Structure formats: C-alpha cells, structure tokens
Amino acid sequence: MDYLAAANISVPNTWEDMVEFAHILYSTDFNGDGTADYAICWQLTNCTWDGQITTSQILATMTQTTGPRTGFIWDPENMELLGGAAAMTRTMELIQELLPYSAKS
C-alpha cells in the first residue's frame, strides 16, 4: 500500500514537513499485524546511538550547506562553531517535536 498517497501527502522536503508527515502517519498499521506502528523508526530516547546520529544528521542540514568538506560542527578553516546556538537550539526543538512519533527503546 502507498501510505503517502493514501494520506494525500508527499515525501517531506523540510524538517517542518517531517514533523507534519510523522504526525499524519503516526499510529498507522504499516505491517498489517493489527497494532499501530510508529511513524519514525528512530530510537531517540535513553541516549541511544540513534539519538546521537539523528541529532548530527539534523544539525548538519542546517550547518553543512556547501558539502561534506565544510564540516558540520566546526569550520575546518578556523575551528569556529558552525551555526552557533541557533542551529543547535532548532535541532533540539525538532528532536522534541519528533520524539512522540519515534520508536521507544
């Protein structure tokens, strides 16, 4: 089944789209076992590797704007923090918004 077509949504293009996508698809029974499933397979609780990797992935979309050679936490030219507090704050806000739709560890 095409769950995106059934929900009349498309693949998310922004993190805000991802939050809406997760909200719409949360509790869908994807595998037909009669139990509602999570919309996101990330385990963002209990300091799992998924949480650390996901945090890095979200942050990189805000700070690594010219490719992998630019780094995503520190500028490799001068070791200054990329994106500053604003990028990390927005990353943490998105994690918080996505957490209810994520798999529990």
Side-chain angles (χ1 to χ4, degrees), residues 10-86:
S10 58
V11 173
N13 290 312
T14 66
W15 287 110
E16 289 72 22
D17 290 349
M18 182 66 173
V19 172
E20 181 181 357
F21 169 92
H23 176 74
I24 292 169
L25 292 182
Y26 182 69
S27 296
T28 299
D29 180 13
F30 294 109
N31 59 5
D33 67 355
T35 302
D37 295 309
Y38 295 101
I40 304 173
C41 294
W42 300 329
Q43 291 184 343
L44 300 177
T45 58
N46 298 332
C47 297
T48 63
W49 280 110
D50 281 2
Q52 295 171 30
I53 291 168
T54 302
T55 300
S56 297
Q57 291 169 335
I58 294 172
L59 180 63
T61 66
M62 297 177 211
T63 59
Q64 193 175 44
T65 58
T66 59
R69 292 187 179 170
T70 60
F72 76 96
I73 296 177
W74 295 282
D75 183 331
E77 298 293 323
N78 57 24
M79 295 307 288
E80 290 181 9
L81 185 63
L82 292 169

